[in-house]
Amino acid sequence: MINIKNEHEIKLMEDAAEALKAALRAIEAEIKPGVTTMHLNNVAEEAMKKYGALPAFKGVECPYRGGKPYKWAICTSVNDEIIHGIPSEDVVLKEGDIVCVDLGTFKNGWCSDAGRTYGVGKISPVCEKLIKVARDAFFAGVDQAVVGNRVGDISNAVQTYVEKQGFSLLREYQGHGIGEEMHEDPGVPNIGRKGTGPRLQKGMALAIEPMICEGRPDVYVKKDYWTVATKDGKMTAYYENTIVITDREAKILTLD
């Protein structure tokens, strides 16, 4: 069931998003060679707490048998890892790396969700392009996030843009509705046909998240039961924001 949010509920989501944006700013300030991904996790969680929010990812059940609930505030996926990477003191960022950071906040009963990909020091031209295309693909999707369109219009816009740039998209993972729960209906794939899927209505809240690969989109889950990486070992990038459908253009809650 798709839950439509009223003005008061959207305001509560905006409050959760303020904490998330603070965490993103804290993370971005720390991205440099020599920093561990656990350090990024810690500064993000501290920023969330200062804004009265909790990390929404903590306690999320693992989708794979044998895996344990998620214990960290953010996901940090480095280079060929695209989503759900686990922060660690053993993962030290080095010059030329790119790191996909995904995070969610929970405040006053409502959630926000966003993700960014950061370059560490000087990165290669292909990594620069990957990061830009992931961001631009999100905005191509948002342009279609208007009342009367369908979810498939968002999906098709993301797919068309990314494939024209010579990259591929994950098929097994997608964006989602969001509100009192981190993951709500409808699903928002990054691949789709125009005019298909649920119709967009004022008050729908969505997390749109292009997940793109330099090479083939074939992925596997590592032995930690969480980290998703490309089988060909090529680079990846990711960009996500929480949006709300309005009478006009979509409102992006998690973007400064």
Side-chain angles (χ1 to χ4, degrees):
M1 182 179 72
I2 297 174
N3 297 314
I4 303 299
K5 282 72 179 178
N6 60 37
E7 289 185 10
H8 175 66
E9 292 167 337
I10 292 168
K11 176 61 171 64
L12 291 173
M13 291 187 69
E14 289 178 316
D15 289 344
E18 287 301 315
L20 187 147
K21 289 188 286 186
L24 282 174
R25 291 191 294 268
I27 291 166
E28 187 170 6
E30 296 297 316
I31 298 286
K32 55 182 176 289
V35 167
T36 69
T37 54
M38 183 60 78
H39 176 69
L40 300 181
N41 177 83
N42 294 342
V43 299
E45 185 165 5
E46 184 62 27
M48 293 176 194
K49 289 179 179 178
K50 285 181 179 179
Y51 276 73
L54 297 172
F57 291 0
K58 281 193 174 184
V60 171
E61 292 295 326
C62 184
Y64 302 103
R65 181 178 296 177
K68 296 180 180 179
Y70 202 74
K71 298 191 297 185
W72 301 269
I74 66 176
C75 298
T76 52
S77 308
V78 181
N79 295 334
D80 62 322
E81 300 169 350
I82 186 163
I83 52 173
H84 303 164
I86 294 175
S88 172
E89 294 287 4
D90 296 327
V91 179
V92 181
L93 298 179
K94 62 183 186 298
E95 187 89 10
D97 284 343
I98 56 176
V99 54
C100 301
V101 177
D102 185 12
L103 64 163
T105 52
F106 184 75
K107 183 178 180 181
N108 296 326
W110 293 84
C111 297
S112 69
D113 189 12
R116 303 286 187 269
T117 303
Y118 300 104
V120 182
K122 184 175 176 56
I123 60 176
S124 69
V126 70
C127 287
E128 289 180 349
K129 183 177 180 182
L130 272 169
I131 292 171
K132 183 178 186 301
V133 170
R135 183 182 186 277
D136 290 350
F138 165 81
F139 284 102
V142 170
D143 285 345
Q144 298 300 314
V146 296
V147 171
N149 274 3
R150 293 183 180 272
V151 168
D153 296 313
I154 297 174
S155 306
N156 183 263
V158 170
Q159 178 183 3
T160 300
Y161 180 79
V162 170
E163 291 180 350
K164 281 184 177 179
Q165 301 301 315
F167 297 132
S168 61
L169 286 151
L170 291 196
R171 297 173 182 271
E172 299 93 336
Y173 301 89
Q174 62 181 358
H176 50 89
I178 183 171
E180 292 180 282
E181 301 290 336
M182 178 60 64
H183 296 97
E184 297 184 352
D185 291 333
V188 185
N190 290 312
I191 293 173
R193 292 186 295 111
K194 292 181 180 180
T196 63
R199 193 171 296 280
L200 303 178
Q201 305 173 56
K202 180 181 177 181
M204 287 175 65
L206 306 173
I208 299 174
E209 47 183 312
M211 296 166 270
I212 71 174
C213 304
E214 175 191 359
R216 295 184 58 81
D218 304 314
V219 294
Y220 69 100
V221 179
K222 292 190 172 183
K223 292 181 180 179
D224 61 19
Y225 293 97
W226 283 102
T227 307
V228 178
T230 57
K231 289 183 177 179
D232 61 14
K234 292 190 175 181
M235 293 292 198
T236 65
Y238 165 86
Y239 190 88
E240 176 187 17
N241 281 301
T242 298
I243 72 164
V244 174
I245 308 297
T246 75
D247 285 330
R248 299 179 182 178
E249 62 184 20
K251 186 172 187 178
I252 305 173
L253 304 188
T254 51
L255 186 65
D256 276 324

